[in-house]
Amino acid sequence: MIRKTILLLIFSVLLTSCVPYKQLEELGIINTRGVDKIENNQLETTIIAYQFDAQSPEITTTVFGIGNTIKGARENAGYNTNFELSPGQIRLELYGKETAEDGILEYLSTLVRDARVSDTMLVAVSNVTAKEVLTAGQEELMTDVGQLIQSLIEKEVQEYSIPKTSLQNYLRIESDIGQDPVVPLIGLRDKKPAIVGLAAFQNDRLVGELPIDQAFLINVFLTNTKDTPLEITLQREPLSDYIYNNVSDTYQADNPENEDQFTILVKVLKGQGDIKLKNIEDLHFEANIHLEVDLYETSELLSIKDEKIASILEEEMAKEFERQYNVLFAQLQEINSDPFGFGIIYRINKKDGELTDTEWREKFPNVTVDFNVNVDLMHYGTIQ
Amino acid sequence: MRKRLKRSSKNIFPLKIDELEHLLMREFTNSPDLGFSKYEHQNKKIAVFFITYQVQPDKVENLLLTPLLESKKDWSNTSILNEIPLNSGKEYQLLEEILSGLIIGKVMIYLEDETAVVSYDFLNKEKRSLEGAETESVVIGPKVAFTESLVTNLNVMRWNIRTPDLAIEEITIGKRAPREVRLLYLKSLANETDVNTMRQRLEDLEVDQVEDINVLMQYIEDSSMSLFPQFHTTELPDRTSYAILKGKIAVLMENSPSALIAPSSFFSFFESTEDLYMRWNSGPPLRLIRFISMFISVVLTPMYVAAVTFHYEIIPTQLLISIGQSRAGVPFPPIFEALFLELMIELLREAGARLPTKVGQTIGIVGGVVVGTAAVQAGITSNILIIFITISALASFTAPSYQMGTTIRLLRFPMIVLAGILGLIGIMFGMCMLIIHLLKMTSLGRPYLSPIYPIHFEDFNKALFRLPQNFQHKRSVSLSLKDSIRFSKKKAQEKKDIDE
């Protein structure tokens, strides 16, 4: 028995053979990678990696590599560093605008097939080239730009201002027929990296850029949002009786013809969106959005003594949101990208339940949607 | 040996006093310890002999010699036994019996030409008084510990369990230097098979001598190749009596300051009597901490080695940076770094245990400074690993049983080696081996991993956590006791306080 056990032990150790060493301090651990297409169909990668060198206190390093594949480019970048570059800790992959316009699925598939790479890593698109964003930021800020962009995105995702953009999320939405992914668009503002908008995809190809404040409108349909701060501009006219003028100490504005807008900041405590197919022949949808908001700040003093003001505000906000939805939807139809997932609802309601990508691409521009926004003003007077 | 046995089985009496003295002096190789005094009383020669330091001399003088020599009677063996007011009088005829009697402190009286000697007990045994427990110190509850004296220990146990139901069986083990062993259990409760097995194991033991109960444990345990202790040895009488009252069996041994409890499951090694004394809801979390710390102690350092050597992707990014920075200057691979530090801790512990208390403190400081600070500054180890090693060392000391703690500490080393060679696969491999081994083990024939395997949900309440007392109406199922009910559940839940 003992002999058998010992034999079993020896064999099981021998048969597993040697596992390749990946000793931490001998690796250049890729944290952020930028991918750009350059001429001759080649790829240029910008790699921000951690390396632990006893001689140098600096741990982040930026290296560049050119190759025909991502791994080829990584090998090429490896000539620049004495550490073995490995992708196990990659947290952000940033694609250049032109690269993304040609499709990014082939790059993502190598990531998702690598067991070492975490599926929760972020995917983002740059509005210039990835190299430009990553290097310019590095020079300007003297910090790890990769980390910076990650925390920028993570913070916004946590506030539900932009939809989740992990690798797993992207690939799930991408492979769903009838829905398209959106990812944050990273650009340079004052030479510093910032989220400048939302990149709308058609399948895996970048087709358009949406303004960042519209990201919330899309996110309401993707998840139940909580505690999102939002600035919204309303028509001044219906509120004008309640706007307090502290110069003349009256409710009369100085020169109402000059200003026809009134801006408020609200926190959307709860946001829910729901899509219903009303008529399958006409491709007519109804989208119901329910928002519960707190009023935090107004651009001018507003008298909230009168209860009527609450219902006026609710109504005006709903109107404004409906207007924004219509504008956004028209824009999305133009670029033929469907991040809301109308296609999924259509497929569910279709008799055979089958929908091909080309079929939906043909139908989507002809879809009509009624956006019904219902705003509940929960608290006002809170200032934070 | 044979010659001696032959001679001792023969009756040597009657003989002259001088002949007896000669004989005894030869047996004791002229030892000055043997006090042999001869008296003449009413024309009869009387010899009184004993080993001087084994008896209480003033008692011998007052209670035996004075009435013996001052009386005007004509003594014979029968009249001595009848008239001296002592209860331990006995007659011996065989030389072997006389010799062993002398050794344990009997006083022998021989009247010339009688056919036997008369003996009285004046045993003088040096023993220390009862003291608080040291290896199993407790914060609340009784603190008294067993001593080396079996009589004292039995006395304590009798006071703890005041019922005639408590059986105390005497068994003598050791052929060349016999020792007395006592088997304690509750007649109406303990499983008969368990008692029989234990009695048989003790009786069948053929050895020259048994030094201590921990040695006895190794002679009678189920698997002598295993790293795990299969019987619990404790120095706490209250813990022993608690185990007996639960239906287990305890073994006490002459000259050994601890008791052996059988059968013991793996989980019982993590029980402390304090769990019982604490309130039901505050004791179990502490036990949970002990279970967790056992796991940490076995797995934490190997996990570090595996993660740093093979699986850097499982480390959170921020932690990765600090681990990477501290590893950067270390010239050794993680496995050697970890083994080196673990060895260092073991050295410190061993040195601390061997040295006198005052010097031991110095060792602690020196070790702390050298290992903690200097080793990191010299770049031999990384400071993150020092934290891990310290946590796992601390965790291993939480086991209430010292034996179990040592086992856990030793288990780390093969795990580190496996982690260093095969990474997480190695750790899993080691854990599987460990669990297979534990599943196969028994203690007095009862499964070691009970109540997890075989599963007894009723006993989870006792082994893993503890419900309030009025839910404790059943005894442990896995012990298959004679009486499985402690009290009526219905009655316990009746409210007896005054309604206002």
Side-chain angles (χ1 to χ4, degrees):
Chain A
M1 182 60 212
I2 292 170
R3 191 179 296 171
K4 262 188 198 167
T5 322
I6 292 170
L7 272 178
L8 185 77
L9 269 168
I10 293 170
F11 281 133
S12 36
V13 170
L14 286 182
L15 289 175
T16 13
S17 76
C18 285
V19 187
Y21 278 85
K22 289 265 179 204
Q23 223 160 289
L24 185 62
E25 66 275 13
E26 289 166 8
L27 301 175
I29 293 151
I30 303 177
N31 183 248
T32 309
R33 177 160 60 191
V35 179
D36 288 308
K37 239 179 196 162
I38 52 172
E39 62 268 19
N40 302 332
N41 227 2
Q42 281 196 313
L43 293 172
E44 178 170 25
T45 59
T46 311
I47 291 170
I48 298 180
Y50 299 133
Q51 54 182 36
F52 306 110
D53 197 335
Q55 266 79 47
S56 139
E58 193 61 48
I59 52 163
T60 26
T61 172
T62 314
V63 284
F64 308 96
I66 294 172
N68 289 313
T69 57
I70 291 238
K71 287 198 167 58
R74 190 180 80 205
E75 285 305 309
N76 184 265
Y79 297 132
N80 251 357
T81 167
N82 52 342
F83 292 89
E84 185 195 338
L85 291 171
S86 37
Q89 284 274 349
I90 186 160
R91 292 284 177 266
L92 171 71
E93 184 133 301
L94 187 66
Y95 298 95
K97 190 180 176 187
E98 283 169 38
T99 325
E101 277 167 354
D102 287 347
I104 57 171
L105 194 61
E106 61 259 40
Y107 314 128
L108 295 178
S109 81
T110 63
L111 287 174
V112 83
R113 279 186 287 110
D114 190 342
R116 283 182 180 271
V117 174
S118 161
D119 278 1
T120 55
M121 63 167 280
L122 302 168
V123 178
V125 171
S126 148
N127 66 354
V128 275
T129 62
K131 186 179 180 178
E132 208 172 314
V133 171
L134 293 178
T135 48
Q138 194 87 331
E139 281 159 18
E140 184 71 19
L141 292 166
M142 297 296 291
T143 63
D144 178 3
V145 179
Q147 285 262 358
L148 178 93
I149 299 175
Q150 287 159 37
S151 27
L152 270 180
I153 296 175
E154 267 156 20
K155 190 196 77 198
E156 294 301 321
V157 168
Q158 251 167 26
E159 276 185 352
Y160 294 95
S161 295
I162 57 171
K164 273 187 191 167
T165 56
S166 65
L167 176 64
Q168 183 262 341
N169 243 296
Y170 182 94
L171 284 169
R172 179 180 64 78
I173 295 174
E174 197 276 331
S175 50
D176 262 358
I177 289 169
Q179 193 173 14
D180 291 307
V182 282
V183 303
L185 190 70
I186 311 294
L188 289 172
R189 209 152 85 179
D190 301 336
K191 292 185 185 169
K192 286 175 202 157
I195 303 179
V196 293
L198 206 60
F201 279 75
Q202 187 188 85
N203 292 340
D204 68 325
R205 286 179 299 110
L206 174 71
V207 286
E209 293 172 14
L210 306 172
I212 187 67
D213 44 358
Q214 314 243 299
F216 172 75
L217 303 181
I218 295 171
N219 203 18
V220 165
F221 286 94
L222 302 180
T223 176
N224 291 337
T225 66
K226 278 179 218 123
D227 297 338
T228 319
L230 206 64
E231 202 178 60
I232 178 163
T233 305
L234 308 175
Q235 291 297 313
R236 189 190 175 89
E237 174 59 32
L239 296 162
S240 56
D241 288 349
Y242 303 97
I243 296 171
Y244 181 71
N245 188 329
N246 58 352
V247 179
S248 61
D249 202 12
T250 55
Y251 289 101
Q252 303 290 314
D254 287 340
N255 41 357
E257 59 274 5
N258 257 7
E259 292 187 23
D260 55 351
Q261 285 185 333
F262 181 73
T263 307
I264 57 173
L265 185 118
V266 294
K267 195 167 214 180
V268 183
L269 299 178
K270 228 185 204 180
Q272 281 172 327
D274 181 35
I275 301 172
K276 282 197 188 96
L277 182 61
K278 280 287 162 195
N279 190 331
I280 197 159
E281 296 302 312
D282 302 349
L283 291 169
H284 181 67
F285 289 86
E286 187 186 84
N288 298 310
I289 301 106
H290 177 72
L291 302 174
E292 290 179 8
V293 301
D294 273 3
L295 177 63
Y296 270 40
E297 196 180 334
T298 54
S299 59
E300 290 171 69
L301 286 174
L302 190 69
S303 164
I304 49 173
K305 280 177 193 160
D306 202 327
E307 277 174 24
K308 278 184 208 152
I309 187 77
S311 52
I312 294 174
L313 270 176
E314 281 174 2
E315 216 172 279
E316 287 304 307
M317 274 192 271
K319 251 191 231 165
E320 173 59 21
F321 277 122
E322 276 165 23
R323 189 192 62 79
Q324 285 189 10
Y325 268 113
N326 286 323
V327 172
L328 173 67
F329 188 68
Q331 200 184 345
L332 286 169
Q333 272 185 321
E334 201 175 300
I335 58 175
N336 207 344
S337 166
D338 179 13
F340 292 109
F342 286 106
I344 292 177
I345 307 292
Y346 176 73
R347 181 173 57 79
I348 292 168
N349 286 290
K350 223 181 143 191
K351 244 179 205 156
D352 56 359
E354 273 175 34
L355 183 70
T356 60
D357 191 52
T358 34
E359 190 187 345
W360 184 242
R361 295 285 167 226
E362 279 165 22
K363 283 185 172 156
F364 184 65
N366 304 322
V367 165
T368 50
V369 184
D370 284 341
F371 286 99
N372 305 319
V373 183
N374 170 26
V375 180
D376 280 342
L377 186 59
M378 307 304 285
H379 312 100
Y380 38 91
T382 328
I383 300 297
Q384 197 181 335
Chain B
M1 186 71 203
R2 252 183 99 177
K3 196 179 156 195
R4 196 171 148 173
L5 277 175
K6 206 174 160 189
R7 184 201 56 216
S8 64
S9 60
K10 203 176 73 185
N11 192 346
I12 50 164
F13 300 108
L15 77 178
K16 293 285 170 211
I17 295 265
D18 288 342
E19 281 170 9
L20 179 66
E21 184 181 9
H22 197 68
L23 190 65
L24 287 172
M25 281 303 174
R26 204 181 63 209
E27 286 295 336
F28 280 95
T29 55
N30 286 325
S31 165
D33 304 337
L34 184 70
F36 194 96
S37 33
K38 291 172 273 187
Y39 305 95
E40 197 136 340
H41 179 262
Q42 308 286 3
N43 291 327
K44 204 159 199 176
K45 279 184 177 167
I46 301 177
V48 176
F49 51 100
F50 49 82
I51 294 177
T52 44
Y53 46 75
Q54 293 287 71
V55 300
Q56 294 152 299
D58 48 337
K59 282 195 179 167
V60 177
E61 199 89 20
N62 294 337
L63 301 176
L64 192 66
L65 291 181
T66 318
L68 195 69
L69 296 176
E70 281 180 3
S71 165
K72 296 281 178 255
K73 270 185 79 111
D74 200 11
W75 292 113
S76 74
N77 271 5
T78 348
S79 58
I80 292 176
L81 287 172
N82 282 339
E83 291 183 25
I84 301 265
L86 288 167
N87 72 347
S88 57
K90 257 186 197 152
E91 280 195 328
Y92 288 117
Q93 292 178 326
L94 301 180
L95 182 61
E96 190 68 15
E97 285 174 348
I98 295 169
L99 292 176
S100 53
L102 283 173
I103 286 167
I104 61 168
K106 291 188 180 201
V107 174
M108 305 280 179
I109 304 159
Y110 182 61
L111 304 174
E112 203 168 43
D113 295 331
E114 280 279 0
T115 56
V117 291
V118 175
S119 91
Y120 285 102
D121 291 357
F122 286 98
L123 275 60
N124 176 26
K125 198 178 176 205
E126 290 304 329
K127 60 183 180 190
R128 63 184 170 105
S129 53
L130 289 169
E131 278 166 25
E134 288 214 339
T135 47
E136 291 170 73
S137 57
V138 287
V139 182
I140 50 174
K143 290 172 184 62
V144 69
F146 284 129
T147 70
E148 284 78 5
S149 157
L150 183 63
V151 181
T152 317
N153 293 349
L154 287 173
N155 176 272
V156 173
M157 286 309 293
R158 275 285 187 206
W159 275 103
N160 267 356
I161 309 172
R162 272 170 252 174
T163 162
D165 195 26
L166 175 68
I168 301 187
E169 289 182 19
E170 185 187 338
I171 296 165
T172 311
I173 52 169
K175 288 280 172 285
R176 200 168 283 271
R179 283 271 176 91
E180 213 175 293
V181 165
R182 297 290 174 104
L183 195 62
L184 283 79
Y185 58 92
L186 285 186
K187 278 177 276 186
S188 63
L189 201 60
N191 182 293
E192 215 150 301
T193 325
D194 285 356
V195 176
N196 291 339
T197 316
M198 184 51 110
R199 190 189 298 125
Q200 195 192 355
R201 281 189 193 179
L202 289 172
E203 278 173 352
D204 288 357
L205 202 60
E206 267 198 50
V207 283
D208 275 0
Q209 67 151 356
V210 177
E211 290 82 2
D212 185 72
I213 201 138
N214 288 304
V215 182
L216 179 69
M217 181 181 86
Q218 293 173 46
Y219 279 125
I220 62 171
E221 66 192 356
D222 298 44
S223 157
S224 45
M225 299 300 276
S226 174
L227 205 58
F228 288 89
Q230 289 136 56
F231 298 124
H232 204 152
T233 53
T234 176
E235 56 167 3
L236 294 173
D238 68 315
R239 185 174 187 141
T240 314
S241 46
Y242 176 56
I244 290 173
L245 287 169
K246 276 203 297 190
K248 294 189 177 185
I249 306 163
V251 179
L252 285 173
M253 188 179 172
E254 177 94 67
N255 282 22
S256 181
S258 43
L260 181 149
I261 298 169
S264 300
S265 76
F266 178 70
F267 300 101
S268 67
F269 285 92
F270 297 93
E271 283 171 19
S272 159
T273 42
E274 265 173 75
D275 296 353
L276 200 67
Y277 302 139
M278 300 283 263
R279 291 179 45 71
W280 73 274
N281 40 16
S282 46
L286 301 179
R287 193 182 293 180
L288 191 72
I289 286 178
R290 275 179 237 134
F291 286 133
I292 294 170
S293 49
M294 176 207 59
F295 187 73
I296 285 178
S297 168
V298 176
V299 158
L300 189 66
T301 329
M303 279 297 272
Y304 169 86
V305 173
V308 172
T309 320
F310 299 102
H311 316 282
Y312 66 93
E313 65 274 4
I314 63 168
I315 312 171
T317 312
Q318 295 304 324
L319 185 62
L320 180 98
I321 292 173
S322 47
I323 291 182
Q325 277 175 325
S326 71
R327 274 286 304 158
V330 181
F332 312 115
I335 173 171
F336 289 121
E337 188 193 2
L339 284 176
F340 169 74
L341 266 186
E342 286 283 7
L343 204 69
M344 202 76 144
I345 294 269
E346 286 303 298
L347 280 180
L348 275 176
R349 189 196 54 76
E350 193 61 23
R354 298 286 153 260
L355 281 168
T357 332
K358 282 172 194 162
V359 192
Q361 284 172 351
T362 328
I363 286 293
I365 296 162
V366 168
V369 171
V370 170
V371 177
T373 321
V376 174
Q377 279 174 1
I380 298 176
T381 62
S382 66
N383 40 18
I384 301 269
L385 181 61
I386 293 216
I387 298 170
F388 287 159
I389 297 265
T390 318
I391 292 173
S392 62
L394 276 181
S396 74
F397 290 119
T398 58
S401 158
Y402 186 74
Q403 297 245 17
M404 189 50 102
T406 313
T407 303
I408 289 167
R409 268 203 304 285
L410 282 179
L411 274 179
R412 267 208 300 263
F413 289 92
M415 286 298 249
I416 292 173
V417 174
L418 276 172
I421 299 171
L422 296 171
L424 283 180
I425 303 164
I427 295 180
M428 276 324 287
F429 184 74
M431 288 304 277
C432 287
M433 282 297 175
L434 193 65
I435 289 169
I436 291 170
H437 174 67
L438 285 173
L439 283 171
K440 268 189 68 188
M441 267 175 64
T442 53
S443 165
L444 208 68
R446 301 213 168 263
Y448 195 54
L449 274 192
S450 155
I452 298 275
Y453 174 84
I455 198 146
H456 288 299
F457 287 113
E458 305 95 316
D459 288 0
F460 278 22
N461 169 21
K462 295 177 172 62
L464 306 180
F465 54 88
R466 215 163 53 77
L467 294 177
Q469 286 298 351
N470 53 345
F471 290 95
Q472 304 280 11
H473 61 286
K474 270 187 183 166
R475 292 201 169 86
S476 197
V477 179
S478 42
L479 290 174
S480 24
L481 303 170
K482 280 182 189 160
D483 181 10
S484 60
I485 306 292
R486 282 182 73 201
F487 50 78
S488 151
K489 190 186 178 185
K490 244 184 169 177
K491 260 190 173 172
Q493 282 168 353
E494 269 173 27
K495 290 214 166 160
K496 286 181 184 146
D497 42 344
I498 307 156
D499 270 326
E500 280 191 55

